[in-house]
Amino acid sequence: MEVRRTVPVKLDVERADADLLRDTIQQFLDAANYVVDVAQDGEWVETRKSTLHEETYTAVRDRTDLHSNHVQSARDHAVDALKSVVARWKQGEYASLPTFTSRFCEYNKRNATFYDDHATLSTVDGRVTVEYVFPDETRDTPHSQYFLNDDYETTGATLHEREGEFYLHIRTTADVDAPDRPENGTVLGVDLGVENIAVASTGVFWTADELNHWHREYEKRRGSLGQCGTRWAHENIQSVGRTETGRFEQMLHRVANEIVAEAVETGCSYIAFERLANIRKRLPHAKWHHIWAFRRLTSYVEYKAEARGLTVRFVNPQYTSQRCSTCGFTHESNRKTQESFCCVDCGYENHADYNASKNIGLKLLRNQTGAEGGAPVGVRLNSGVLNTNGVVPVPDSVRVGVHAECHGR
């Protein structure tokens, strides 16, 4: 089984080389945006790579000083973004054509060489050497587990510039023995929210209190420093941002580990989430750090679940918060408050996020998207398995890792 991991590494870059990298990033973004412009022809958008290669490659080479592989990577990145937009159009959703502004640039083995302590990167004017900045202790970190591990091969990287600092997100791959996959087809439904970062269909809650508390604290620090207006204050604002991101990522990794452990302990084959498309519209109370956390958390769960033989699936989020997981009656009046759910038809009452987590699992059953491990057949609860016919109790002899409904963790 092929396993892929991405390891972020901070870079130590000389000032002159930093200018070259900035120019390379800017020309890479210009190239991607140019491909988007060419792809648009009235109401028609071209998404075929071969066609856009013929229409843009020579022009981009003439317009920029980019390496040929950078030109191709910029085109491919633009095409992927265009296909995503077209897919949303086909679903009747609004989406504007992409504009690339985030500071990044793609590298592969043709325009970069990766060593244990440094890399050489192609720029708009030759190659530059960048040194890696590792943590003081690299043992049991992604750097030692994947990047510095001889079992993993480096395949490429994405260069990012954030607040004047450069980072390589290095992609690695390895062939490992495939883990045993549970074949019972049981689903762990997981709902993501503002007050609770995650709620499982087994009744386990992961509160967002820590995430929200530290976000408020870091916002206060940035606001206080911003009033100073000095260079020292600006540098400290950047430092606060890096500290905040690091703290949040550590917390999200912990939650992801616990979600995967919950699925393993309760004998699940699948973990189901809602698709995150249009999540800002569906969760108007969510702030940017919630949206960012949702995307990070699901990506962490995906690769951690893969290593344990579990499959992660995403389902349509429509009506998961309004549908009664007991009788199926769907109405906006069922959702009394942000936390309270009460079915106006059958009278079922419970926490709204817990009810939604069961509906997310049930949607996967109805979609029947199972491949490895058999098709989904039931949603794991604390006291049994919920299928389209109701709850089937699990015998005590096979019930593993059972938790009481609706408790915090």
Side-chain angles (χ1 to χ4, degrees), residues 76 78 105 119 165 185 203 211 229 244 258 282 301 306 316 332 341 387 393:
D76 292 347
C105 179
E165 302 283 358
L211 179 77
E244 179 182 22
E258 293 183 4
R282 291 189 286 110
V301 171
E306 179 188 34
N316 189 326
E332 60 183 10
F341 181 93
N387 59 32

mmCIF file of all heavy atoms in Angstrom, residues 76 78 105 119 165 185 203 211 229 244 258 282 301 306 316 332 341 387 393:
data_model
loop_
_atom_site.group_PDB
_atom_site.id
_atom_site.type_symbol
_atom_site.label_atom_id
_atom_site.label_comp_id
_atom_site.label_asym_id
_atom_site.label_seq_id
_atom_site.Cartn_x
_atom_site.Cartn_y
_atom_site.Cartn_z
ATOM 1 N N ASP A 76 -1.208 22.989 -14.405
ATOM 2 C CA ASP A 76 -1.932 21.891 -13.747
ATOM 3 C C ASP A 76 -2.708 22.392 -12.534
ATOM 4 O O ASP A 76 -3.846 21.955 -12.281
ATOM 5 C CB ASP A 76 -0.959 20.790 -13.327
ATOM 6 C CG ASP A 76 -0.360 20.060 -14.516
ATOM 7 O OD1 ASP A 76 -0.874 20.231 -15.641
ATOM 8 O OD2 ASP A 76 0.626 19.329 -14.317
ATOM 9 N N ALA A 78 -3.877 25.413 -12.078
ATOM 10 C CA ALA A 78 -5.012 26.191 -12.578
ATOM 11 C C ALA A 78 -6.128 25.276 -13.063
ATOM 12 O O ALA A 78 -7.311 25.514 -12.788
ATOM 13 C CB ALA A 78 -4.554 27.124 -13.693
ATOM 14 N N CYS A 105 4.542 28.073 -4.557
ATOM 15 C CA CYS A 105 5.106 27.636 -5.830
ATOM 16 C C CYS A 105 5.408 26.141 -5.719
ATOM 17 O O CYS A 105 5.891 25.683 -4.688
ATOM 18 C CB CYS A 105 6.383 28.423 -6.145
ATOM 19 S SG CYS A 105 7.196 27.954 -7.686
ATOM 20 N N ALA A 119 18.161 21.959 0.517
ATOM 21 C CA ALA A 119 17.626 21.691 -0.817
ATOM 22 C C ALA A 119 18.132 22.752 -1.774
ATOM 23 O O ALA A 119 18.484 23.869 -1.364
ATOM 24 C CB ALA A 119 16.098 21.679 -0.793
ATOM 25 N N GLU A 165 8.698 34.682 5.903
ATOM 26 C CA GLU A 165 9.419 33.433 6.128
ATOM 27 C C GLU A 165 9.051 32.432 5.041
ATOM 28 O O GLU A 165 7.946 32.446 4.498
ATOM 29 C CB GLU A 165 9.068 32.846 7.506
ATOM 30 C CG GLU A 165 9.369 33.763 8.678
ATOM 31 C CD GLU A 165 10.848 33.808 9.018
ATOM 32 O OE1 GLU A 165 11.633 33.089 8.357
ATOM 33 O OE2 GLU A 165 11.220 34.555 9.934
ATOM 34 N N GLY A 185 -18.483 -3.178 7.925
ATOM 35 C CA GLY A 185 -19.210 -2.092 7.278
ATOM 36 C C GLY A 185 -19.847 -1.106 8.227
ATOM 37 O O GLY A 185 -20.760 -0.377 7.840
ATOM 38 N N GLY A 203 -21.574 9.138 20.686
ATOM 39 C CA GLY A 203 -21.877 10.010 21.814
ATOM 40 C C GLY A 203 -20.676 10.670 22.435
ATOM 41 O O GLY A 203 -20.765 11.216 23.535
ATOM 42 N N LEU A 211 -10.059 25.719 21.551
ATOM 43 C CA LEU A 211 -9.814 26.416 20.285
ATOM 44 C C LEU A 211 -10.325 27.845 20.348
ATOM 45 O O LEU A 211 -9.607 28.798 19.988
ATOM 46 C CB LEU A 211 -10.496 25.655 19.145
ATOM 47 C CG LEU A 211 -10.368 26.255 17.749
ATOM 48 C CD1 LEU A 211 -8.991 25.980 17.190
ATOM 49 C CD2 LEU A 211 -11.432 25.666 16.820
ATOM 50 N N GLY A 229 2.289 49.968 16.608
ATOM 51 C CA GLY A 229 2.702 50.464 15.302
ATOM 52 C C GLY A 229 4.196 50.431 15.057
ATOM 53 O O GLY A 229 4.671 51.006 14.081
ATOM 54 N N GLU A 244 0.088 30.602 17.537
ATOM 55 C CA GLU A 244 -1.318 30.216 17.487
ATOM 56 C C GLU A 244 -1.519 29.015 16.562
ATOM 57 O O GLU A 244 -2.180 28.035 16.921
ATOM 58 C CB GLU A 244 -2.165 31.387 17.005
ATOM 59 C CG GLU A 244 -3.650 31.071 16.896
ATOM 60 C CD GLU A 244 -4.446 32.250 16.360
ATOM 61 O OE1 GLU A 244 -3.846 33.116 15.693
ATOM 62 O OE2 GLU A 244 -5.657 32.294 16.608
ATOM 63 N N GLU A 258 -7.850 10.834 18.466
ATOM 64 C CA GLU A 258 -8.911 10.283 19.303
ATOM 65 C C GLU A 258 -10.121 9.848 18.472
ATOM 66 O O GLU A 258 -10.790 8.867 18.812
ATOM 67 C CB GLU A 258 -9.316 11.308 20.365
ATOM 68 C CG GLU A 258 -8.214 11.566 21.383
ATOM 69 C CD GLU A 258 -8.623 12.532 22.478
ATOM 70 O OE1 GLU A 258 -9.800 12.946 22.479
ATOM 71 O OE2 GLU A 258 -7.782 12.861 23.322
ATOM 72 N N ARG A 282 -23.442 27.425 5.469
ATOM 73 C CA ARG A 282 -24.192 26.530 6.347
ATOM 74 C C ARG A 282 -23.964 26.836 7.820
ATOM 75 O O ARG A 282 -24.814 26.554 8.658
ATOM 76 C CB ARG A 282 -23.796 25.075 6.062
ATOM 77 C CG ARG A 282 -24.257 24.580 4.713
ATOM 78 C CD ARG A 282 -24.041 23.093 4.547
ATOM 79 N NE ARG A 282 -22.644 22.733 4.344
ATOM 80 C CZ ARG A 282 -21.886 22.101 5.217
ATOM 81 N NH1 ARG A 282 -22.367 21.769 6.394
ATOM 82 N NH2 ARG A 282 -20.637 21.806 4.927
ATOM 83 N N VAL A 301 -7.490 13.327 9.971
ATOM 84 C CA VAL A 301 -8.201 12.063 10.184
ATOM 85 C C VAL A 301 -8.036 11.155 8.965
ATOM 86 O O VAL A 301 -7.863 9.938 9.113
ATOM 87 C CB VAL A 301 -9.699 12.320 10.466
ATOM 88 C CG1 VAL A 301 -10.475 11.001 10.471
ATOM 89 C CG2 VAL A 301 -9.876 13.022 11.809
ATOM 90 N N GLU A 306 -6.276 5.982 7.352
ATOM 91 C CA GLU A 306 -5.714 5.100 6.327
ATOM 92 C C GLU A 306 -4.682 4.157 6.930
ATOM 93 O O GLU A 306 -4.638 2.966 6.599
ATOM 94 C CB GLU A 306 -5.084 5.944 5.212
ATOM 95 C CG GLU A 306 -4.442 5.125 4.100
ATOM 96 C CD GLU A 306 -3.657 5.994 3.132
ATOM 97 O OE1 GLU A 306 -3.069 6.995 3.563
ATOM 98 O OE2 GLU A 306 -3.643 5.651 1.936
ATOM 99 N N ASN A 316 -23.182 14.436 1.503
ATOM 100 C CA ASN A 316 -23.910 15.690 1.293
ATOM 101 C C ASN A 316 -24.456 16.191 2.638
ATOM 102 O O ASN A 316 -25.156 15.448 3.327
ATOM 103 C CB ASN A 316 -25.060 15.453 0.317
ATOM 104 C CG ASN A 316 -25.720 16.741 -0.124
ATOM 105 O OD1 ASN A 316 -25.822 17.696 0.637
ATOM 106 N ND2 ASN A 316 -26.194 16.771 -1.360
ATOM 107 N N GLU A 332 -37.264 22.306 9.656
ATOM 108 C CA GLU A 332 -36.399 23.271 10.330
ATOM 109 C C GLU A 332 -36.823 23.508 11.776
ATOM 110 O O GLU A 332 -35.998 23.904 12.618
ATOM 111 C CB GLU A 332 -36.378 24.585 9.562
ATOM 112 C CG GLU A 332 -37.733 25.255 9.420
ATOM 113 C CD GLU A 332 -37.679 26.521 8.587
ATOM 114 O OE1 GLU A 332 -36.629 26.763 7.970
ATOM 115 O OE2 GLU A 332 -38.679 27.261 8.579
ATOM 116 N N PHE A 341 -32.122 19.641 19.917
ATOM 117 C CA PHE A 341 -32.911 19.049 18.847
ATOM 118 C C PHE A 341 -34.121 18.359 19.457
ATOM 119 O O PHE A 341 -33.990 17.574 20.408
ATOM 120 C CB PHE A 341 -32.091 18.033 18.050
ATOM 121 C CG PHE A 341 -32.845 17.410 16.907
ATOM 122 C CD1 PHE A 341 -32.775 17.955 15.638
ATOM 123 C CD2 PHE A 341 -33.631 16.279 17.104
ATOM 124 C CE1 PHE A 341 -33.482 17.388 14.580
ATOM 125 C CE2 PHE A 341 -34.340 15.714 16.058
ATOM 126 C CZ PHE A 341 -34.268 16.271 14.792
ATOM 127 N N ASN A 387 -29.296 1.246 11.743
ATOM 128 C CA ASN A 387 -29.405 1.114 10.286
ATOM 129 C C ASN A 387 -30.715 1.734 9.830
ATOM 130 O O ASN A 387 -31.412 2.368 10.613
ATOM 131 C CB ASN A 387 -29.270 -0.351 9.846
ATOM 132 C CG ASN A 387 -30.328 -1.248 10.468
ATOM 133 O OD1 ASN A 387 -31.454 -0.819 10.718
ATOM 134 N ND2 ASN A 387 -29.969 -2.503 10.726
ATOM 135 N N PRO A 393 -29.234 -3.799 18.778
ATOM 136 C CA PRO A 393 -28.321 -3.875 19.931
ATOM 137 C C PRO A 393 -27.093 -4.703 19.600
ATOM 138 O O PRO A 393 -27.147 -5.661 18.823
ATOM 139 C CB PRO A 393 -29.168 -4.543 21.021
ATOM 140 C CG PRO A 393 -30.580 -4.329 20.596
ATOM 141 C CD PRO A 393 -30.563 -4.349 19.093
#
